[in-house]
Amino acid sequence: MTTPSDPGLVHRVVGSASIWVLGRVAGPRREAPVLFSDPNALYVDLEGFCLGVLGARAVQVPCGVRTQLPTLSTVDLGSTVAVEDGGIVFGDTEVLVTNIVDTTVPVLAPEVALRCGARLADLAADRLDAARTELAAGALELLAAGDPAGADALLGVGPGLSPVGDDVLAGWLAAAVSSRHPALPTIRSAVALTASERTTPLSATLLGCAARGEGVPEFRSLLLGLANDNDEMTTQSIDLMTSVRRSTGSALILGALTALTTLDV
């Protein structure tokens, strides 16, 4: 790997990531094409998975390496970065994964999950219209029924690196893992079957994370707040998530609400 003694390398910074991400960046040197780059985040395609380097102001997605960098050096799309020995080298920067973070959702007992669904409906149902209006008619109802056609109707729906339909599915999957939803195997299989063909590399990777029960910190805090009857923590998480670009946060909550209120399907 490039070392600080190399002429082109100026900065070596530490980062934190999940065990899954650490497993991906460990190992021999590989070249990863750049999919997206701006001052807040860098996303690369590493052997079919989308991995990110995240600045301090980026959304802390579970497939990324978190740093405290105020800005990242931008990299040309289509160029490559080096991934090796637990680090990612881009431009004049090397980011090393030195800390592990927990990106997993809490496990909810059945009676707790039911209570969480009811409370989430009270606190957030009227703030999710932005996400609902972007979905195809009947798609959410199919998902609520545990019908794999719901996954088919939502996958890839909407613009951007993380389409709103995928965000709904990610929220549903993560909450379903948390609550051990009876339809989880069916929906998880339906998503895994076509996600790589139907949506962006980043979104497909995030759906895979959600299917393992991983999510952004605000989503984890939302479920923890609900489980502990902590309305302040829950409301703060809802506020943070609904302020995220477009309807991403609202869509995640909508997916979680759909899972937590349909545990008897």
Side-chain angles (χ1 to χ4, degrees), residues 42-248:
L42 168 74
Y43 290 109
V44 303
D45 181 352
L46 183 64
E47 300 171 329
F49 296 98
C50 185
L51 297 183
V53 176
L54 310 173
R57 290 179 289 185
V59 177
Q60 304 297 292
V61 293
C63 62
V65 180
R66 306 174 186 182
T67 76
Q68 292 302 309
L69 292 171
T71 59
L72 304 181
S73 302
T74 56
V75 184
D76 292 337
L77 300 186
S79 62
T80 61
V81 304
V83 180
E84 181 182 18
D85 294 340
I88 301 173
V89 178
F90 61 101
D92 60 3
T93 303
E94 179 184 26
V95 176
L96 291 170
V97 178
T98 59
N99 298 296
I100 300 302
V101 293
D102 187 1
T103 59
T104 58
V105 296
V107 176
L108 305 177
E111 64 277 9
V112 174
L114 287 169
R115 189 183 75 242
C116 289
R119 191 58 184 150
L120 184 58
D122 289 341
L123 294 174
D126 62 348
R127 302 178 64 175
L128 308 180
D129 290 343
R132 286 192 180 94
T133 58
E134 295 189 48
L135 306 178
L140 201 60
E141 289 74 15
L142 288 169
L143 181 64
D147 190 330
D152 185 66
L154 290 167
L155 266 174
V157 172
L161 291 173
S162 177
V164 64
D166 295 354
D167 293 332
V168 171
L169 283 170
W172 189 97
L173 285 166
V177 172
S178 178
S179 61
R180 287 165 287 186
H181 195 289
L184 175 61
T186 299
I187 300 300
R188 181 160 51 192
S189 296
V191 171
L193 188 63
T194 59
S196 62
E197 303 166 359
R198 295 276 304 278
T199 191
T200 67
L202 172 60
S203 198
T205 300
L206 290 174
L207 285 166
C209 291
R212 295 190 299 273
E214 297 183 57
V216 295
E218 296 83 0
F219 189 89
R220 187 172 188 269
S221 295
L222 172 68
L223 294 182
L224 285 170
L226 290 166
N228 293 311
D229 294 320
N230 187 331
D231 281 357
E232 181 179 359
M233 183 179 185
T234 302
T235 302
Q236 183 180 49
S237 300
I238 293 169
D239 290 343
L240 287 170
M241 292 178 70
T242 54
S243 68
V244 174
R245 61 175 179 80
R246 293 192 302 101
S247 55
T248 293

